[in-house]
Amino acid sequence: RFQACIYFASVFQAMSCGIHYLASVFMAVTPNFVCGISGNVSSVLFYNSSESRIEDIWTLWTSTENYIVVHLENGDIWELNQCSRSKREVRVELAYEYSGNKSVFSCSDGFLYDDTKWKSTVVTQWDLVCDREWLAKLIQPTFMLGVLIGAVIFGDIADRLGRRRVIWFTSAAQFVFGIAVAFTFDYYSFVILRFLLAMVSSGYLVVAFVYVTEFVGIKARTWASMHVHAFFAVGIMIVALVGFLVRTWWVYQIFLTIATLPFVLCCWMLPETPFWLLSEERYEDAQKVINIMARWNKVSTPCKVSELCSVQQGDLASGRPGDNDTSSAKKHNLLDLFCNWRIATRTITVWLIWFTGSLGYYVFSLSSVSLGGNEYLNLFLIGAVELPCYVIACIAMDKLGRRNTLIPFLILSALICVLIMFIPQDFNILIILANMAGKFSIGVAFGLIYLYTAELYPTIVRSLAVGSGSMMCRVGSVVAPFCVYLRSVWIFMPLLLVGIMALLSGILTIMLPETLGKPLTNTLVEATEMGRNKKRCSEKTPPAHSGAALEKIEMFGQETVSPEK
């Protein structure tokens, strides 16, 4: 009961991470626009259609190459393009086609935007179009850069100051920065506050993963850790819902931020994890938390910290004193992940899977609003399809194995990317369903790579391996927005890149060993031998500390690293 309350309270706030990560898909959208014009408009001409107002023309607008002919009350005739305007020198009868002399001017009077879908976006607020379009395209990449930095900073702070304090700070900061973003006065303050918001959102997701992992029992740990990201997906669905209901960007931002206000008001009641308290030798505080857990769970005889400490000392004393002292004294670095050809190949493959998973995840998510049809429904479905994918991942990785699940879903995502290229653009429903299938398949692969990485490497470099893979994941999230922008070069370019990366990752994964049912390795020699002699590995007992002793020792020295979205 106690762990369930802690778990659902913590992962509820994970929705805010999904919300802020994908908020820009509607906040920074660029509607149809043309150069502004000063003066009173008497008539507007668009091909064969004549209207009295420019606002009535937008329903006929089909391409950025179009232009609008405007007749002013003073007799001037202007051609309004997206990034320039032309004044016709000869005032003849109003017609759409004109072959006479024209004077070209810049858009010094601002721009006119189509507000039929969005009343206001950050693009329309600060005219982030034409020569300032690159500023709009930097909004999501700078946010993802903040995600990368925040994960590193707050992960380290959580190890030093405790999980609870970081959860308090990051959840409160998400609310404060989220509200502050809505009231920014210019583009640069908007980007800076979004960057800070990304840092605390990423920090919360990392620390919350560690927090719930340290409270949940071993039997439920895989399911619990995987489904933290299911709440992230719920956050994406909330973005779609709020975007449909609210069409002004700063009001939209406020509604998204207050969605998780209940957690901010009650997060101060969350306790510190006994694992961290024990690692800091705060035994009395750890015992208090354990006693509270026992009362909630109606356990009459809670475990004693003193007994755990005595078991740990006894197990360490009866272990491998010589080898253990040597391995603990040696400091390991990134080069250990390339100590030999087999381990180096494994590291490159794992890094590629992390990168591909993150790249594919965000390419499918960010591109969903450009698939045609209802963009709000598209994003909602792209988020909803994640919910069953984590269930499938948990079942498949325990039944079929880690590698045997990863390979088919990576290759399937590559095939789906190719399939989408051959679907006619008029078949919106088929395109949306195919993108949902692509998000599902890449989501399964992305969901299990964290656990698989931890099992592929020995204890001495396990945290280093998972941490480095997680960094590659964040690099993928930074690259993903730029990849989506390549749609302007060729509409299928993002899918082509994701497909190539997924296919390459799937093929290289064949060389990785299966880890299902295998004991965790302790040394690089054991990790190198993994999969080379399956019979010998399967019969081999876990070296060093095993069984109950390992579990008790693990809680004193374990460093947990989270997969970052």
Side-chain angles (χ1 to χ4, degrees):
R1 185 184 305 169
F2 181 86
Q3 283 90 332
C5 292
I6 291 293
Y7 179 78
F8 286 107
S10 301
V11 298
F12 177 80
Q13 182 68 4
M15 291 192 301
S16 66
C17 301
I19 286 172
H20 294 305
Y21 278 38
L22 272 296
S24 66
V25 295
F26 297 130
M27 185 191 304
V29 69
T30 302
N32 296 324
F33 68 94
V34 292
C35 262
I37 188 70
S38 59
N40 297 321
V41 177
S42 61
S43 61
V44 180
L45 189 63
F46 184 75
Y47 287 105
N48 296 326
S49 300
S50 179
E51 302 289 346
S52 59
R53 302 185 311 159
I54 295 179
E55 291 80 1
D56 299 328
I57 293 295
W58 294 123
T59 56
L60 306 174
W61 190 271
T62 57
S63 170
T64 57
E65 303 298 326
N66 295 149
Y67 63 90
I68 297 174
V69 179
V70 176
H71 189 203
L72 302 183
E73 290 183 351
N74 62 7
D76 290 343
I77 299 176
W78 289 82
E79 293 180 7
L80 305 182
N81 296 287
Q82 284 203 320
C83 297
S84 66
R85 52 183 180 167
S86 304
K87 182 179 179 182
R88 295 179 178 179
E89 298 294 343
V90 180
R91 298 182 180 182
V92 295
E93 182 180 355
L94 184 63
Y96 192 75
E97 301 292 341
Y98 174 77
S99 57
N101 295 329
K102 294 183 288 188
S103 300
V104 180
F105 299 88
S106 63
C107 300
S108 57
D109 292 321
F111 299 87
L112 299 173
Y113 297 97
D114 177 9
D115 60 359
T116 53
K117 282 189 176 181
W118 298 279
K119 298 299 180 184
S120 173
T121 71
V122 295
V123 173
T124 64
Q125 180 88 12
W126 296 304
D127 289 336
L128 305 181
V129 292
C130 298
D131 58 341
R132 288 168 57 86
E133 181 183 9
W134 65 276
L135 294 174
K137 291 185 175 181
L138 281 180
I139 291 175
Q140 189 66 16
T142 53
F143 184 92
M144 289 303 182
L145 182 62
V147 167
L148 189 155
I149 296 175
V152 176
I153 292 176
F154 287 105
D156 181 65
I157 293 175
D159 287 337
R160 297 172 183 272
L161 303 181
R163 287 71 164 108
R164 183 175 63 166
R165 291 180 180 177
V166 175
I167 284 179
W168 286 356
F169 174 79
T170 53
S171 56
Q174 278 188 79
F175 180 79
V176 172
F177 290 141
I179 295 296
V181 165
F183 295 98
T184 47
F185 53 86
D186 65 1
Y187 169 81
Y188 298 102
S189 60
F190 170 82
V191 170
I192 292 172
L193 284 173
R194 284 262 302 170
F195 181 84
L196 297 175
L197 178 60
M199 289 181 61
V200 295
S201 297
S202 173
Y204 180 86
L205 193 61
V206 169
V207 178
F209 183 91
V210 176
Y211 186 77
V212 300
T213 301
E214 292 180 348
F215 267 114
V216 175
I218 294 176
K219 291 182 179 180
R221 188 168 294 168
T222 299
W223 283 76
S225 61
M226 289 281 284
H227 284 81
V228 170
H229 301 301
F231 285 84
F232 184 96
V234 173
I236 297 177
M237 298 161 67
I238 292 175
V239 170
L241 179 61
V242 175
F244 175 75
L245 297 174
V246 182
R247 306 299 177 91
T248 302
W249 79 266
W250 61 272
V251 180
Y252 161 85
Q253 175 67 23
I254 291 174
F255 272 87
L256 290 178
T257 302
I258 65 176
T260 53
L261 179 61
F263 178 82
V264 178
L265 298 177
C266 67
C267 66
W268 59 272
M269 294 187 292
L270 295 176
E272 186 55 81
T273 68
F275 288 91
W276 185 83
L277 292 172
L278 289 172
S279 69
E280 295 293 311
E281 299 183 355
R282 293 169 55 179
Y283 302 119
E284 292 184 4
D285 293 334
Q287 188 64 60
K288 290 178 182 178
V289 176
I290 292 173
N291 292 338
I292 294 173
M293 294 169 66
R295 286 198 299 270
W296 273 66
N297 296 336
K298 297 182 180 180
V299 176
S300 57
T301 55
C303 66
K304 302 297 183 182
V305 170
S306 57
E307 296 177 1
L308 291 176
C309 293
S310 63
V311 170
Q312 182 209 20
Q313 293 171 356
D315 286 337
L316 288 175
S318 61
R320 304 177 305 172
D323 295 343
N324 192 60
D325 293 343
T326 303
S327 62
S328 61
K330 181 183 178 181
K331 292 184 178 180
H332 296 276
N333 54 49
L334 199 64
L335 294 178
D336 289 311
L337 300 180
F338 299 87
C339 63
N340 58 58
W341 174 253
R342 185 176 290 268
I343 295 296
T345 304
R346 186 177 304 176
T347 299
I348 293 173
T349 302
V350 167
W351 282 4
L352 184 63
I353 297 171
W354 278 95
F355 178 85
T356 302
S358 180
L359 180 69
Y361 182 93
Y362 283 105
V363 165
F364 280 115
S365 298
L366 296 173
S367 300
S368 61
V369 296
S370 305
L371 299 178
N374 190 310
E375 57 267 31
Y376 306 103
L377 179 60
N378 294 349
L379 183 63
F380 184 88
L381 293 175
I382 285 292
V385 77
E386 283 190 60
L387 303 182
C389 98
Y390 295 125
V391 177
I392 297 297
C394 287
I395 296 175
M397 64 197 294
D398 288 337
K399 299 295 183 182
L400 303 177
R402 283 63 160 137
R403 185 186 63 178
N404 295 336
T405 301
L406 192 59
I407 293 172
F409 277 102
L410 281 171
I411 295 178
L412 178 62
S413 61
L415 294 177
I416 290 173
C417 289
V418 175
L419 176 64
I420 295 174
M421 298 181 191
F422 290 96
I423 300 177
Q425 292 299 297
D426 296 335
F427 291 68
N428 289 335
I429 295 178
L430 281 179
I431 293 175
I432 294 169
L433 291 176
N435 274 269
M436 290 177 62
K439 177 70 177 296
F440 180 92
S441 58
I442 205 73
V444 172
F446 193 30
L448 65 85
I449 185 57
Y450 165 67
L451 179 61
Y452 192 30
T453 302
E455 293 174 342
L456 283 172
Y457 291 89
T459 303
I460 56 176
V461 293
R462 184 169 294 123
S463 293
L464 183 64
V466 177
S468 63
S470 185
M471 288 298 295
M472 291 303 298
C473 161
R474 294 166 191 140
V475 172
S477 66
V478 174
V479 173
F482 294 107
C483 185
V484 173
Y485 297 148
L486 292 176
R487 287 175 60 92
S488 59
V489 178
W490 184 41
I491 190 172
F492 296 124
M493 183 65 76
L495 291 173
L496 178 63
L497 295 177
V498 173
I500 292 173
M501 297 295 291
L503 181 62
L504 180 61
S505 301
I507 294 173
L508 291 177
T509 304
I510 297 174
M511 297 186 295
L512 297 180
E514 180 55 69
T515 60
L516 177 63
K518 302 296 194 314
L520 295 178
T521 57
N522 269 7
T523 67
L524 287 167
V525 174
E526 294 172 356
T528 303
E529 293 296 322
M530 182 191 298
R532 182 176 294 179
N533 190 331
K534 296 182 179 179
K535 183 177 180 180
R536 184 173 60 188
C537 288
S538 63
E539 294 176 352
K540 191 173 182 179
T541 57
H545 316 295
S546 60
L550 179 61
E551 294 174 12
K552 292 180 174 62
I553 294 168
E554 183 184 14
M555 74 180 185
F556 286 87
Q558 172 178 285
E559 180 185 356
T560 309
V561 186
S562 167
E564 177 59 31
K565 281 287 188 190

